[in-house]
Each structure stands twice: as structure tokens, then as C-alpha cells.
């Protein structure tokens, strides 16, 4: 597979949530996703990381389609705990509000490309969005959404209102912010600030979370640490091989079918393959080889099973492919292997 990329990414759950919230407002979710370059199969798979640039593009398109500056706030209002998977479970398993916010800060990258910072100072506790890729209005929408989601999650876990002392945004003030006040539960909202932040009273940090589960928290953190360290952008070639693999499972692995999945014409797909110094046959072969290795390493398949796994209608074709791989693996300078 392609080498890891440093490109910032979001869980597929984030654009999926944005699209669902937009759909509630009458927008055509599929058209919005298509316009943002988000394939339906990618949105349905939480193991896939969506480039942050596409999520920001989706915010811009959603704002234009819904004709309102408040899509970030409304997206956060639509959110329900559980929609962001492991991130949500980690936060609600913490013992108190302060610990939950620390967990949100530490594991934000499970869900989003944003980075959080949490600090307690002089009678206050501050959750700051330390970094969001991009700029402009899409960044402002993303910040309003992210802070609103975390606040809603903490409130649900606490089983009671947890109201910030104030909310700060780096973006310029909109014409009105009544919807902001309703979502965050306070009229103390300041714009044109150095950063985007929720500022709480220090005493609220000791409020217990009835959802606390130290056993689950320990188990989840082990898995989350692995996921965060392994997190990477899903590159174009990753997406390509993901779709080839899915099409092989369906028995429909053709260049035309995969091109449709990637919203490309067959000719454009071939050009993109050339730009990546590869070919359709090479990529198909690589996915087939991985499927063969996995199957042979976990079971003793019949020839028919192997042919089906590799997307062949006849066992003879699968055998020819295996022999070709075996020949390619034999080095000319290795007389022992060549004599077998």
C-alpha cells in the first residue's frame, strides 16, 4: 500500500454527520457529497479517513446550499452521543467533567483533524481548539461545530446542563448569534478572539459523570492509542485498492466499475494510474495477491475457493496467476529455488 501521509484527516463519521444534519434542513445529501468529492462507500466506512480539505469543502457547500451562516451550530445541535464512535465512548467513560474534557483533548484526532488543548487556570478550565486545517468561513463553521459537539457530549454524560462561563471564537461576529447562545447555553459569546474555546468554571470540572466506567476506559484507551498512532490519510491509491477489493468480493472488478466508484471516467482513471507510475493490471494484481496471502494464511482453500477469492470464474485462471507470482519470486541467481 501507499506510504503514510501527513495530510490532516477526519473520521468518515464527521462528514456523514454534516450531511445528515443538512438533510434534516432539506438539502440533497447525495448531491452535496458528490460536489465535495465524497464517495458514498467511503462515507459508510468508519475505518476510512477523509482528507480535511474535503470536509472543509463540504462545510462551504453546505452553507451555500442551506443559505445560512449557522450550519456549524446546527450540525452540533443535530449531533447525538455515539455518532463519533470510540471518541464518544472514551469521553463518557471518564470519572468527571474535567477528566472527560482532558480525554477529549487527548483523543480528538480519533474523530477530527482538529487539535485540542485543555488547561485549568485561575478558577477557570479552558478547552481550546488549538488547530483546525484551513481558513476562512469553513474553518469558523468547523470550530463552532466541534466545540458544540464536545459540549453536548459532556452534558449528556453528566446528565445535567453544563454551561460554559463564556465561549470564544476566532472568527468575526455574524450578524446575529442567537442560535449560538441557544446551543452553548450562554449569551457570553465573544468573537474576534485569539482562539476558539469553551471556558468553564473550575468548580464544574468536579461534576461526576454517571456514565463513568474505569474498566471500559482502560480497555478503550489501549485501542485508541494504537489507532491514533496508526492514523493516516487515506491516499488516492488506498481508495483505489479499497474499491478493487470490494469489487473483487462482489465479482465485479473491472476498470469501468472501479472508475464509477471513484467518480472518474475510465480514461481519467487510467491517466491517474499513469501519474502514480502504475497500471490497472498492477493494482488489480496487488490486491489479488494480498487476498491470496490472507486466504492461504488462514485456511486451506480449494481451487474453486481461491478462484472465487481472486475474482476469477475458473480455477485455471487462478492457478496461472499463482504460478506467475511464484516464477516472479524466484531469483535467477538462486539455483536451489530454480531447481525445485
Amino acid at each position: 500500500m501507499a506510504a503514510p501521509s501527513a495530510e490532516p484527516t477526519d473520521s468518515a463519521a464527521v462528514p456523514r454527520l454534516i450531511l445528515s444534519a443538512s438533510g434534516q434542513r432539506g438539502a440533497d445529501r447525495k448531491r452535496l457529497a458528490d460536489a465535495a468529492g465524497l464517495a458514498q462507500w467511503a462515507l459508510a466506512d468508519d475505518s476510512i479517513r477523509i482528507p480535511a480539505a474535503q470536509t472543509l469543502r463540504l462545510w462551504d457547500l453546505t452553507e451555500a446550499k442551506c443559505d445560512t451562516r449557522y450550519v456549524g451550530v446546527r450540525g452540533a445541535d443535530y449531533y447525538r452521543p455515539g455518532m463519533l464512535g470510540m471518541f464518544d465512548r472514551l469521553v463518557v467513560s471518564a470519572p468527571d467533567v474535567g477528566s472527560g474534557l482532558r480525554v477529549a483533548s487527548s483523543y480528538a484526532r480519533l474523530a477530527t483533524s482538529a487539535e485540542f488543548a485543555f488547561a485549568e487556570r485561575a478558577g477557570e478550565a479552558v478547552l481550546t481548539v488549538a488547530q483546525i486545517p484551513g481558513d476562512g468561513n469553513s474553518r469558523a463553521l468547523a470550530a463552532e461545530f466541534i466545540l458544540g459537539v464536545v459540549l453536548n457530549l459532556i452534558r449528556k454524560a453528566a446528565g445535567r446542563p453544563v454551561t460554559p462561563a463564556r465561549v470564544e471564537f476566532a472568527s468575526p461576529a455574524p450578524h446575529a448569534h442567537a442560535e449560538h447562545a441557544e446551543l452553548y447555553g450562554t449569551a457570553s459569546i465573544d468573537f474576534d478572539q485569539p482562539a476558539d474555546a469553551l471556558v468553564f468554571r473550575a468548580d464544574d470540572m468536579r461534576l461526576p459523570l454517571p456514565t463513568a466506567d474505569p474498566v471500559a476506559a482502560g480497555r478503550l484507551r489501549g485501542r485508541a492509542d494504537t489507532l491514533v498512532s496508526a492514523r493516516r490519510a487515506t491516499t488516492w491509491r488506498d481508495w483505489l485498492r479499497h474499491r478493487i477489493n470490494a469489487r473483487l468480493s462482489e465479482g465485479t472488478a473491472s476498470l469501468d466499475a472501479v472508475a464509477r466508484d471513484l467518480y472518474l471516467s475510465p480514461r481519467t482513471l487510467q491517466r491517474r494510474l499513469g501519474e502514480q507510475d502504475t497500471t490497472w493490471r498492477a493494482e488489480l494484481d496487488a490486491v489479488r495477491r494480498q487476498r491470496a496471502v490472507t486466504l492461504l494464511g488462514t485456511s486451506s482453500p480449494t481451487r474453486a475457493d481461491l478462484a472465487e477469492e481472486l475474482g476469477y470464474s475458473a480455477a485455471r485462471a487462478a492457478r496461472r496467476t499463482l504460478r506467475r507470482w511464484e516464477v516472479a519470486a524466484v531469483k535467477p541467481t538462486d539455483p536451489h529455488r530454480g531447481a525445485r
Side-chain angles (χ1 to χ4, degrees), residues 80 101 124 136 154 156 162 175 177 218 264 279 287 298 303 311 320 328 337:
R80 295 294 181 272
L101 292 173
E124 293 182 334
I154 286 292
K156 185 67 174 180
V162 179
H175 294 303
H177 53 268
L264 300 173
T279 64
V287 177
T298 57
R303 291 177 178 178
R320 284 197 298 270
R337 291 197 65 179

Side-chain angles (χ1 to χ4, degrees), residues 15 18-19 28-40 43 50-62 239 263:
I18 297 168
L19 289 165
D28 187 319
R29 291 182 292 181
K30 187 177 186 306
R31 286 188 178 181
L32 278 175
D34 289 351
L38 295 165
Q40 296 299 314
L43 291 169
I50 304 297
Q54 286 182 276
T55 307
L56 292 171
R57 169 69 173 155
L58 179 61
W59 278 122
D60 283 336
L61 292 167
T62 302
W239 282 36
Y263 295 91

Side-chain angles (χ1 to χ4, degrees), residues 81-157:
M83 289 182 172
L84 296 182
M86 186 179 292
F87 172 77
D88 289 357
R89 296 197 297 274
L90 274 165
V91 173
V92 302
S93 66
D96 53 40
V97 168
S99 299
L101 292 173
R102 288 189 189 90
V103 169
S105 175
S106 298
Y107 293 100
R109 286 299 185 93
L110 286 173
T112 175
S113 54
E115 294 183 3
F116 289 172
F118 179 74
E120 295 188 61
R121 65 192 185 206
E124 293 182 334
V126 184
L127 181 70
T128 303
V129 182
Q131 179 179 325
I132 298 179
D135 52 25
N137 210 43
S138 58
R139 185 197 179 284
L141 299 175
E144 293 167 3
F145 169 77
I146 292 165
L147 290 178
V149 162
V150 173
L151 182 59
N152 273 346
L153 179 58
I154 286 292
R155 285 170 170 166
K156 185 67 174 180

Side-chain angles (χ1 to χ4, degrees), residues 13-14 16-25 59 62 66 68-80 83-84 141-142 144-150 152 179 183-184:
V14 172
R16 191 168 63 234
L17 201 165
I18 297 168
L19 289 165
S20 295
S22 302
Q24 289 290 310
R25 299 283 175 171
W59 278 122
T62 302
C66 296
T68 176
R69 164 66 176 77
Y70 304 107
V71 291
V73 171
R74 292 174 181 177
D77 188 56
Y78 176 83
Y79 159 83
R80 295 294 181 272
M83 289 182 172
L84 296 182
L141 299 175
E144 293 167 3
F145 169 77
I146 292 165
L147 290 178
V149 162
V150 173
N152 273 346
E179 292 196 38
L183 173 67
Y184 297 108

